[in-house]
Amino acid sequence: MKHFGKNEFSTCVYVNFEKDTWAFSLFDKDYDVERILLFLQAHTGVKIEAEKTLLIFDEVQEVPRGLESLKYFCEDKPQLHVMVAGSLLGIALHEGVSFPVGKVDMLTLHPMSFSEFLIALGEEIKVEVMAAKQWDVVNALLPTFEELLRQYYFVGGMPEAVASFVAEKNLKKVRTIQKNILAAYRNDVSKHAPTSEVPRINMVLDAIPSQLAKENKKFIYGALKKGARAKEFELAIQWLIDAGIVLKINRTAKPTIPLKIYEDFGAFKLFLCDCGLLGCLAEAPQELVITNNDIFKEYKGAYTESFVAQQLVCNQDLCIYYWSQSDSKCEIDFLVQSGSRVIPIEVKAEDNVHSKSLATFCRTLYPGLQGLRLSMKPHVEQDWMQNFPLCTVEHSID
C-alpha cells in the first residue's frame, strides 16, 4: 500500500491502528471528516488534499468504528482516496458496527502467483513469453523455468518472504519469515475464535501436510484423531477458510454448468494458501526443495497440486472443484468452470504422464470435453487434451 501511494500519488498518509497509539481515539468523538483530517495532518505533518493524497488505514480491525467511518469519507469527501486493510477475521467479526455497504470496493489479495514472483526477480520477459503463449520459446526454456519453480516452491508468494529472497537470497531467513507468518495466523485465529475451537483449528492446520501426502487427497476427519466426525471439526475448518489460511476445494458430482449445482459439500480437499507456507509447516529442508531432482514428485505430488490450486485461486473468474467416482478409481484433480467451458485438469508432478483418469474422463465418460494436463513435459496438443508445462498454469486457461 505504501509503495502504491508513493508511486501513484503526490503524498501519502499512513496510519497503523495497531502501532500508532495516538490514532486509537480517532473516531471516538464522531465521524466529522474535516475534524479527522485536521487531526491526521497535525500528527503526520502532511497536508491531505483530495485527488493528490492517498490516505491509508492499516490494521483497521483494531479500531471498532474504523470501518463505519468509510461511509462518511465516501459521502462527505468523495474525491479523497482512502485505502483500508486489516485481518479478514477482525473485519468480518466486528460486533455492533455496521459495514458501509455500497461505499467501498473490496479487493482480495492472495499470495503472489508464480508470474508475480518472476516479475519480482526481474524475469518480466519470461512472463511475457508465457502470457503470449509462445510455446516453442517456453519449451526451449523449460530447464530454466524448472529451476525458478523450485525456488517458488520453497519461497512461496507471501510478499515479505519474496522481498527477503529477492534482496538477500537467504533461504534460512525466508524460512524464519514463514514461521513468523504461521505464528501470526495462529495468533489471529486465537484472538477471534472461541477458546473451545482453538485446539481443533490448530489440529486441522497441522494435519494438512499429512492429509495431502495421501494418494487420495480428500480430507479425512478420522486422520485427525481416532473416531473424529465432521460435526466436531467443521467449525474449525470454516475458521481457517474465513481467515484466508486454507483453500477448500469441494467435489462436484457432474461436469455440467453450473458446477455449483452439483457441489458435494461432504467431500473436499484442503490446501494451504501458499506452497511456501506448506513447506514450512511440513518442515521440508531447503536442500530437498531447491536441489532434489525428485522434488516435483516427492511427497506424492502434494507440493505440485498445492502449487496449482494456489495459481488457480488467483484467477477469480474460475469456479474450482475436483471430480471423482465413488470408488475413487477415476479422479480429476481439478474441474474448473471458465465462462461457458468446463475444463478437467490433471496434475502430474513429473514427466511421466501415463494416467488413465483424464483419458477415461474425456474420451469415454464425457466425450466432447477437452482435458488439460499440467506436467513437466513441453506443450503439446491433441484432439482430446492439451499438455501445458507446469510453470504456465496461469496462462493455460483462457
Side-chain angles (χ1 to χ4, degrees):
M1 293 187 296
K2 290 178 180 178
H3 181 80
F4 176 71
K6 180 180 178 180
N7 283 275
E8 303 297 332
F9 291 83
S10 300
T11 56
C12 178
V13 172
Y14 175 83
V15 182
N16 186 314
F17 287 113
E18 195 171 56
K19 297 178 180 179
D20 298 327
T21 55
W22 57 265
F24 290 174
S25 60
L26 190 59
F27 309 109
D28 286 355
K29 184 178 179 181
D30 53 42
Y31 293 120
D32 185 327
V33 173
E34 292 299 334
R35 177 193 65 79
I36 293 169
L37 294 180
L38 283 173
F39 186 93
L40 292 172
Q41 287 182 161
H43 276 274
T44 63
V46 178
K47 185 179 180 181
I48 299 175
E49 300 178 88
E51 299 184 346
K52 294 183 179 180
T53 303
L54 176 64
L55 177 58
I56 300 173
F57 292 151
D58 201 359
E59 304 294 351
V60 73
Q61 77 279 354
E62 299 298 327
V63 182
R65 302 180 72 187
L67 278 177
E68 195 168 7
S69 74
L70 299 181
K71 172 184 177 182
Y72 299 95
F73 276 102
C74 181
E75 293 176 350
D76 301 340
K77 207 77 170 177
Q79 298 85 12
L80 180 67
H81 293 85
V82 183
M83 180 179 283
V84 173
S87 157
L88 278 173
L89 290 178
I91 290 174
L93 296 175
H94 263 316
E95 296 182 1
V97 177
S98 63
F99 188 86
V101 177
K103 305 296 184 181
V104 298
D105 294 321
M106 299 290 291
L107 297 175
T108 300
L109 291 181
H110 298 282
M112 295 167 68
S113 68
F114 181 57
S115 290
E116 291 167 334
F117 175 75
L118 292 181
I119 292 171
L121 288 172
E123 300 282 1
E124 292 91 345
I125 294 177
K126 289 185 174 62
V127 177
E128 292 171 5
V129 167
M130 291 191 293
K133 304 184 187 303
Q134 297 178 3
W135 302 124
D136 55 337
V137 180
V138 173
N139 290 345
L141 292 174
L142 278 183
T144 302
F145 275 116
E146 182 176 320
E147 188 62 34
L148 291 166
L149 193 55
R150 291 174 190 274
Q151 295 174 18
Y152 183 78
Y153 272 26
F154 184 88
V155 177
M158 300 306 287
E160 186 181 358
V162 175
S164 175
F165 180 72
V166 170
E168 302 181 37
K169 298 294 190 296
N170 186 328
L171 297 179
K172 186 176 180 180
K173 187 172 180 179
V174 168
R175 181 51 55 86
T176 298
I177 290 170
Q178 292 167 339
K179 289 179 179 178
N180 290 339
I181 291 172
L182 286 171
Y185 274 146
R186 293 182 193 272
N187 290 338
D188 194 38
V189 170
S190 297
K191 180 178 180 179
H192 298 287
T195 304
S196 60
E197 286 298 322
V198 173
R200 296 189 186 99
I201 292 170
N202 286 325
M203 283 180 66
V204 173
L205 182 59
D206 290 331
I208 288 178
S210 60
Q211 292 273 354
L212 292 176
K214 301 191 277 67
E215 197 68 45
N216 178 356
K217 295 175 176 58
K218 173 187 171 183
F219 192 86
I220 304 297
Y221 290 102
L224 294 173
K225 69 175 186 177
K226 188 176 180 179
R229 295 289 182 266
K231 64 179 181 180
E232 188 179 358
F233 287 94
E234 281 177 335
L235 187 56
I237 291 172
Q238 193 59 49
W239 274 100
L240 289 169
I241 295 169
D242 291 343
I245 301 172
V246 303
L247 310 173
K248 184 181 181 184
I249 307 296
N250 283 335
R251 176 182 175 272
T252 185
K254 190 176 180 181
T256 303
I257 290 179
L259 293 178
K260 190 170 184 65
I261 290 180
Y262 304 98
E263 189 170 12
D264 177 2
F265 292 98
F268 58 91
K269 302 177 184 179
L270 282 188
F271 298 97
L272 215 58
C273 66
D274 177 68
C275 58
L277 294 183
L278 173 65
C280 180
L281 192 63
E283 300 182 2
Q286 62 190 45
E287 59 270 18
L288 172 67
V289 183
I290 297 295
T291 64
N292 190 341
N293 289 331
D294 291 331
I295 182 57
F296 298 109
K297 59 184 177 182
E298 287 281 358
Y299 189 24
K300 291 187 169 56
Y303 267 124
T304 303
E305 199 166 325
S306 294
F307 163 77
V308 172
Q310 183 177 342
Q311 309 312 301
L312 292 176
V313 168
C314 288
N315 185 340
Q316 298 185 19
D317 293 329
L318 299 179
C319 298
I320 309 168
Y321 298 90
Y322 81 97
W323 176 92
S324 66
Q325 289 181 323
S326 57
D327 57 10
S328 298
K329 290 183 178 180
C330 184
E331 178 174 319
I332 301 299
D333 298 316
F334 297 100
L335 194 66
V336 304
Q337 179 181 323
S338 176
S340 58
R341 294 178 63 204
V342 171
I343 307 170
I345 300 175
E346 181 180 63
V347 178
K348 302 299 290 184
E350 48 188 313
D351 55 11
N352 178 5
V353 296
H354 295 293
S355 174
K356 295 181 179 179
S357 289
L358 187 63
T360 300
F361 187 86
C362 295
R363 305 177 83 174
T364 305
L365 298 176
Y366 299 99
L369 290 182
Q370 186 179 47
L372 188 156
R373 177 186 289 141
L374 298 165
S375 74
M376 300 307 294
K377 279 188 168 295
H379 173 263
V380 293
E381 187 170 350
Q382 301 178 28
D383 58 344
W384 63 276
M385 180 273 296
Q386 289 190 76
N387 184 91
F388 289 89
L390 192 60
C391 59
T392 68
V393 55
E394 294 171 81
H395 311 283
S396 61
I397 300 175
D398 296 321

